[in-house]
Amino acid sequence: MSSLRCATPKLRNYFRDKYIPQICEALLCGLLVTCPDDPLRYLEQMIKIIIKNGLENLLWDMCIDPALKPRLRRLSETYLEQLFGLDDQLVTPELMVKACTFYTGHLVKSHFGGWKEVAIPRANQEAIMAEKMNRAIEHYNSRCLKSFFIHWFSYVKTTRERLVVSLLRLREMFYTQRQKLILAIWKEKARQRSKSREDDLISKHELQLRKWKYKLLKSKAVEEKPISPEQSASEAALSAVPVEFEIAALPDRAILLIFSYLSFRETITCGQVNRSWMALTHRGFLWSAIDFSTSKNIADKCVVTTLQKWRLTVLRLNFQGCHFRTKTLKAVSHCKNLQELNLSDCQSLTDESMRHISEGCPGVLYLNLSNTAITNRTMRLLPRYFHNLQNLSLAYCRKFTDKGLQYLNLGDGCHKLIYLDLSGCTQISVQGFRNIANSCTGIMHLTINDMPTLTDNCVKVLVEKCPHISTVVFLGSPHISDRAFKALSSCNLKKIRFEGNKRITDACFKYIDKNYPGINHIYMVDCKALTDSSLKSLSVLKQLAVLNLTNCVRISDTGLRQFLDGPASMRLRELNLTNCTLLGDTSIVRLSERCPNLHYLSLRNCDHLTDIAIEFITSMLSLISIDLSGTLITNESYCRTSLHLEHLDVSFCAHLTDEIIKTVAIFCTRITSLNIAGCPKITDGGLEALSAKCHYLHILDISGCILLTDQILQDLQIGCKQLRILKMRYCRSISMAAAHRMSAVVQRQEYSSGNPPRWFGYDSEGNPLAEPHNRMPVRNYSELIVKEAFSSDEESPDSNVK
């Protein structure tokens, strides 16, 4: 068999697997080179060597003596593979011959061509060299020209760029200089207009003050002028009675609007004047809302008669603090269309009277039962009869239990309830809050104040079943911590109010922009663990409108500046930084630039502020109320630009004099509330200017103004006709008789003629104390306590304080 190309695959695989061609190649190569005398024995020895070394290590020259091995390397793996037909290649011997012939011819041709170029030089070699030389010169010249052109182009480009920059700089300098010139001209004109406006206001003020003094002298002369014997008593009476506007000349609609502001007793009295007024007071418009809380000593019969007469008209009833008999309260059941009912502080309210009210008034939407003695019996009535109840207040009602809250889920239940107040209900446990969550799943506004037992677990239980909560008020709950904020993150909160909590830290505001993006009201009073990091977290809230951080004493200028640099400052409407004593002028100046919509600002007791910051603050045109009490401001910080200012508190600013009161009187004529308590340098002259100009003044606190005399009371009585609340404690130069006369003019008044206490910071002569007392207490307008009855030195507990 000369070839195995046509053999079976099994035979071919056998030859290949057993290395037959390689063995034969090695043995034949050894025989051809060695030429042994005994070839059989030689083959036998070589086969043993091959077996010993292994077929895997078989080489074609293994059987050749090293000394006789040729120095040529082989061309292929084995020649016998082709002989036996095991190479599996398409190249046949004929094709191999043709390939070798082509390669040899190509090799000879290439070598011959190279030899020809070397051996036979061209005849025109000199011309070729000359041509090459010319080409080289042209190439060199073009390279030089190109290099010169590149340098020239770079120079021209740089020069042009410098020229453009110079022109732009000249244009910028021209525009800047023109803007400076325009701004200087505008500033000068604005200054002139402002000065002219101020001069006009001052001149008008002086003219009005002269008229005021003339009117005051005239009124004194009229009071002191004796009646002559020739003048009759009737003429004297007519001359003493001023001409009043006749209300009958007004249209009925205007008179009805005036009557709508009267109390229940005043409306009844007006109905007894004449027939026309009686007809007007019998309009149903005036009896849609009846407030019995403002009147005292009303007979039960009058209440019953009124409710029976207007039972189909009345929509809102207010019995707050009233002490009526149970039979009287049963008359409420006649008001079938009643929607709002306030029974707070009614100690006579019982479960029986609530049963009658529930059966007769199914349409009640608002129900206030705070501070009453209701029990679980009343709680059982609420879901049975008040199916549309939306607002419910059970504050300080401590006689119902957790089971009473479970009753809210009976029958149709109180599932429409959106507002719930459980303040002071300390008897409620975690189970009670679970009952609330099961009964009032749609609640949105939750108020739980004065509950020391409230924990994070209670909040978590509420949030699990009430995901629509948007307002939470937890005042007086010291055990609430950051975990409560984490639980509330599932709700779309709009308003948060916390107070007096030491467990709330900066961590609660870390993710506030992701968890509460729509929040607009944050009230975190007396949370001393909050630092500048909290303000930085709050700076991203775009909807924030109210921020109260009273007594957060660790807040400084750094945190306030970070807050103001964010988008939260643009929509901020109210900001309270009372007792944030680390704040200085730099952050307050920034506040005046970044808060264009700020209306209410309190910087009470920020004693590091100077006139520089206050001058920027008072220049904010949007401000309506400013509290600067307890700061170190002086008369240099005028309110000349605060034309819309309505509330100003500069109490306990001991450096203020009449100058600032006169400035307020000239430029802030719309002011309605003024507090200058603890300002010992204020005299009658300042209050005289105030009385002559500020006719809309409702609230005035002059406590501790030791230089004021009885004259200011007469000025206030003539000029400030709308004055309702007057506080003049520790005014030792005001007599008791004058205070008695003034108490008949205002609605509420406080008076004492004792010396100022030590915490005012000065003695009875106005001299500052060597060791001033602690900082004054923090009080808001809502916390202002006034007395209707007159209080003298003997009645005041502070009269003996020195």
Side-chain angles (χ1 to χ4, degrees):
M1 182 182 294
S2 60
S3 176
L4 295 177
R5 294 186 183 277
C6 298
T8 61
K10 182 178 181 182
L11 183 58
R12 290 166 60 88
N13 292 333
Y14 173 77
F15 268 72
R16 185 182 290 109
D17 296 339
K18 301 300 181 182
Y19 297 91
I20 300 299
Q22 289 82 354
I23 295 173
C24 295
E25 181 182 19
L27 293 176
L28 287 176
C29 289
L31 289 174
L32 292 175
V33 176
T34 305
C35 299
D37 296 336
D38 191 353
L40 296 177
R41 186 175 296 278
Y42 174 77
L43 291 175
E44 182 181 359
Q45 293 176 356
M46 292 298 105
I47 290 172
K48 291 180 179 180
I49 293 173
I50 290 172
I51 294 172
K52 183 178 179 181
N53 292 332
L55 296 176
E56 294 81 4
N57 300 322
L58 183 62
L59 299 174
W60 68 276
D61 57 351
M62 182 179 289
C63 299
I64 302 174
D65 188 19
L68 300 177
K69 286 185 178 180
R71 299 184 181 278
L72 300 175
R73 62 184 183 86
R74 61 180 183 173
L75 297 177
S76 62
E77 291 294 331
T78 174
Y79 298 104
L80 294 181
E81 288 186 355
Q82 182 179 356
L83 179 62
F84 291 114
L86 299 177
D87 53 352
D88 293 335
Q89 297 181 3
L90 298 177
V91 181
T92 61
E94 294 79 7
L95 294 177
M96 190 65 184
V97 171
K98 289 182 180 181
C100 291
T101 303
F102 175 79
Y103 176 74
T104 304
H106 178 72
L107 189 64
V108 171
K109 184 178 179 180
S110 62
H111 284 77
F112 179 75
W115 172 81
K116 185 178 178 180
E117 291 180 357
V118 174
I120 307 175
R122 295 183 179 181
N124 54 352
Q125 185 70 29
E126 294 180 358
I128 294 173
M129 290 299 295
E131 184 180 358
K132 289 183 178 180
M133 214 42 205
N134 292 332
R135 290 181 181 178
I137 292 172
E138 290 178 358
H139 178 70
Y140 175 74
N141 291 335
S142 64
R143 290 289 299 274
C144 290
L145 289 174
K146 186 176 181 180
S147 176
F148 294 155
F149 177 77
I150 290 173
H151 287 292
W152 173 82
F153 181 77
S154 177
Y155 169 76
V156 172
K157 185 178 179 181
T158 305
T159 306
R160 184 176 296 175
E161 291 177 352
R162 290 179 180 176
L163 181 61
V164 171
V165 171
S166 301
L167 290 175
L168 291 176
R169 189 174 298 173
L170 288 173
R171 181 183 298 177
E172 184 179 358
M173 292 174 61
F174 171 75
Y175 287 154
T176 303
Q177 191 65 25
R178 188 175 66 175
Q179 289 177 357
K180 287 182 179 179
L181 182 62
I182 294 174
L183 187 61
I185 296 173
W186 172 84
K187 188 175 181 180
E188 180 63 23
K189 290 185 177 180
R191 189 185 65 80
Q192 292 177 359
R193 291 186 61 182
S194 177
K195 188 176 184 303
S196 63
R197 183 176 61 85
E198 291 180 4
D199 293 340
D200 292 341
L201 288 175
I202 293 174
S203 60
K204 290 180 180 179
H205 170 71
E206 292 176 353
L207 179 61
Q208 189 171 358
L209 192 59
R210 285 198 296 269
K211 292 181 179 179
W212 165 262
K213 291 181 179 179
Y214 175 74
K215 180 180 179 182
L216 192 61
L217 293 174
K218 187 177 180 181
S219 63
K220 288 182 179 180
V222 170
E223 291 178 359
E224 296 175 358
K225 182 180 179 181
I227 300 176
S228 60
E230 294 81 7
Q231 186 178 14
S232 63
S234 59
E235 292 178 353
L238 290 175
S239 63
V241 177
V243 178
E244 298 290 344
F245 178 75
E246 181 60 40
I247 193 173
L250 294 175
D252 293 348
R253 185 178 179 182
I255 299 176
L256 284 175
L257 290 176
I258 296 174
F259 284 172
S260 64
Y261 290 94
L262 301 179
S263 63
F264 172 74
R265 186 182 296 276
E266 291 170 345
T267 305
I268 297 296
T269 304
C270 289
Q272 298 173 356
V273 174
N274 51 43
R275 293 178 179 272
S276 61
W277 280 27
M278 182 178 67
L280 290 175
T281 55
H282 280 69
R283 300 285 183 90
F285 167 76
L286 297 176
W287 301 98
S288 61
I290 304 177
D291 188 0
F292 293 105
S293 63
T294 58
S295 303
K296 296 181 179 180
N297 302 323
I298 300 178
D300 291 354
K301 184 178 180 180
C302 180
V303 175
V304 174
T305 304
T306 303
L307 294 180
Q308 288 179 349
K309 184 176 182 180
W310 304 106
R311 60 185 182 277
L312 299 179
T313 305
V314 64
L315 301 177
R316 296 182 294 274
L317 281 178
N318 187 357
F319 289 98
Q320 182 180 5
C322 296
H323 298 277
F324 295 131
R325 294 181 300 175
T326 304
K327 184 181 296 185
T328 304
L329 293 176
K330 289 180 181 180
V332 179
S333 61
H334 298 301
C335 305
K336 303 297 182 181
N337 298 321
L338 189 64
Q339 295 181 0
E340 297 183 12
L341 179 60
N342 188 349
L343 297 171
S344 58
D345 300 325
C346 290
Q347 303 302 324
S348 58
L349 181 66
T350 61
D351 294 333
E352 183 65 20
S353 56
M354 272 304 302
R355 183 179 64 84
H356 290 282
I357 294 173
S358 303
E359 293 175 353
C361 305
V364 172
L365 302 177
Y366 171 88
L367 181 60
N368 191 343
L369 302 175
S370 58
N371 197 20
T372 57
I374 62 169
T375 64
N376 290 343
R377 293 178 58 190
T378 298
M379 301 296 290
R380 187 190 292 269
L381 296 173
L382 296 180
R384 183 180 301 175
Y385 296 102
F386 298 136
H387 304 302
N388 299 317
L389 191 62
Q390 295 181 1
N391 295 54
L392 177 62
S393 178
L394 300 173
Y396 304 98
C397 297
R398 296 174 179 172
K399 292 191 177 182
F400 68 88
T401 62
D402 294 342
K403 190 175 182 180
L405 295 173
Q406 188 177 2
Y407 290 153
L408 295 178
N409 201 23
L410 296 177
D412 294 336
C414 297
H415 300 302
K416 295 184 180 180
L417 202 64
I418 61 175
Y419 175 86
L420 181 62
D421 189 353
L422 297 174
S423 301
C425 299
T426 55
Q427 76 277 13
I428 302 177
S429 64
V430 178
Q431 182 60 37
F433 284 101
R434 188 174 287 108
N435 295 337
I436 296 172
N438 293 330
S439 306
C440 311
T441 56
I443 191 170
M444 298 177 62
H445 306 278
L446 181 64
T447 302
I448 307 177
N449 300 332
D450 297 331
M451 281 194 66
T453 58
L454 186 66
T455 62
D456 296 337
N457 193 22
C458 299
V459 179
K460 184 178 180 181
V461 168
L462 282 172
V463 171
E464 289 177 352
K465 295 293 183 66
C466 303
H468 303 291
I469 294 179
S470 61
T471 302
V472 291
V473 182
F474 296 148
L475 306 183
S477 301
H479 297 294
I480 296 294
S481 67
D482 297 338
R483 293 175 57 193
F485 273 85
K486 186 177 180 180
L488 290 168
S489 61
S490 59
C491 304
N492 186 19
L493 284 185
K494 302 292 184 183
K495 181 178 179 180
I496 298 178
R497 288 174 62 96
F498 285 84
E499 184 176 348
N501 197 302
K502 298 181 180 179
R503 302 182 64 185
I504 294 179
T505 63
D506 295 333
C508 66
F509 294 130
K510 189 175 182 181
Y511 304 104
I512 192 168
D513 56 330
K514 298 178 181 178
N515 297 330
Y516 315 109
I519 194 168
N520 55 36
H521 187 121
I522 297 179
Y523 181 96
M524 306 293 287
V525 173
D526 202 16
C527 297
K528 294 182 172 58
L530 299 183
T531 64
D532 293 338
S533 180
S534 297
L535 280 178
K536 183 178 180 181
S537 302
L538 296 177
S539 63
V540 298
L541 298 177
K542 298 181 180 180
Q543 305 296 326
L544 189 62
V546 178
L547 179 61
N548 192 331
L549 298 175
T550 299
N551 282 345
C552 296
V553 294
R554 300 178 65 182
I555 292 176
S556 65
D557 285 340
T558 303
L560 186 56
R561 283 199 303 269
Q562 290 175 344
F563 171 78
L564 295 174
D565 290 337
S569 60
M570 302 307 296
R571 299 189 63 177
L572 195 65
R573 181 169 48 87
E574 299 181 20
L575 179 61
N576 194 330
L577 299 173
T578 299
N579 279 349
C580 296
T581 55
L582 299 180
L583 296 179
D585 292 344
T586 56
S587 60
I588 302 303
V589 172
R590 184 64 174 163
L591 184 144
S592 65
E593 299 171 353
R594 293 286 299 172
C595 299
N597 298 312
L598 191 64
H599 295 338
Y600 304 93
L601 175 64
S602 176
L603 298 173
R604 191 183 185 97
N605 293 338
C606 296
D607 47 13
H608 285 85
L609 301 182
T610 64
D611 291 339
I612 298 175
I614 306 304
E615 187 174 356
F616 277 91
I617 287 298
T618 54
S619 65
M620 298 176 66
L621 300 179
S622 61
L623 279 179
I624 297 176
S625 173
I626 308 177
D627 187 349
L628 301 175
S629 57
T631 59
L632 301 178
I633 64 171
T634 63
N635 292 330
E636 300 297 327
S637 306
Y638 294 132
C639 303
R640 294 179 180 270
T641 57
S642 303
L643 301 179
H644 302 285
L645 193 66
E646 296 181 4
H647 307 280
L648 179 62
D649 189 341
V650 289
S651 57
F652 300 96
C653 297
H655 300 286
L656 298 182
T657 62
D658 291 340
E659 189 67 25
I660 192 171
I661 304 300
K662 293 179 180 179
T663 304
V664 171
I666 296 174
F667 297 97
C668 306
T669 56
R670 300 182 183 180
I671 194 164
T672 61
S673 175
L674 178 63
N675 189 346
I676 53 175
C679 299
K681 297 182 180 180
I682 303 296
T683 65
D684 291 348
L687 269 295
E688 182 184 21
L690 188 74
S691 303
K693 295 284 291 185
C694 300
H695 303 302
Y696 303 103
L697 194 65
H698 292 169
I699 303 173
L700 179 62
D701 189 350
I702 55 175
S703 299
C705 297
I706 55 178
L707 299 180
L708 298 180
T709 64
D710 295 348
Q711 178 63 39
I712 63 137
L713 299 183
Q714 187 176 3
D715 296 341
L716 292 173
Q717 187 173 355
I718 297 175
C720 301
K721 298 290 186 179
Q722 300 186 25
L723 189 64
R724 296 293 179 267
I725 299 176
L726 178 61
K727 300 183 68 176
M728 45 185 182
R729 305 185 68 182
Y730 315 117
C731 295
R732 59 188 185 87
S733 299
I734 297 178
S735 65
M736 187 181 299
H740 269 296
R741 290 192 298 269
M742 194 65 186
S743 63
V745 178
V746 297
Q747 292 181 354
R748 300 178 183 178
Q749 175 177 296
E750 286 187 7
Y751 168 74
S752 64
S753 59
N755 294 326
R758 291 187 59 84
W759 58 269
F760 270 53
Y762 54 88
D763 57 15
S764 59
E765 301 297 329
N767 301 317
L769 299 176
E771 296 181 358
H773 199 267
N774 292 334
R775 187 179 304 276
M776 61 181 175
V778 178
R779 291 187 296 178
N780 298 326
Y781 286 112
S782 59
E783 299 171 349
L784 182 63
I785 302 175
V786 292
K787 302 176 182 178
E788 290 189 62
F790 176 78
S791 60
S792 62
D793 289 342
E794 293 78 6
E795 296 171 348
S796 175
D798 299 326
S799 59
N800 298 326
V801 180
K802 297 181 180 180

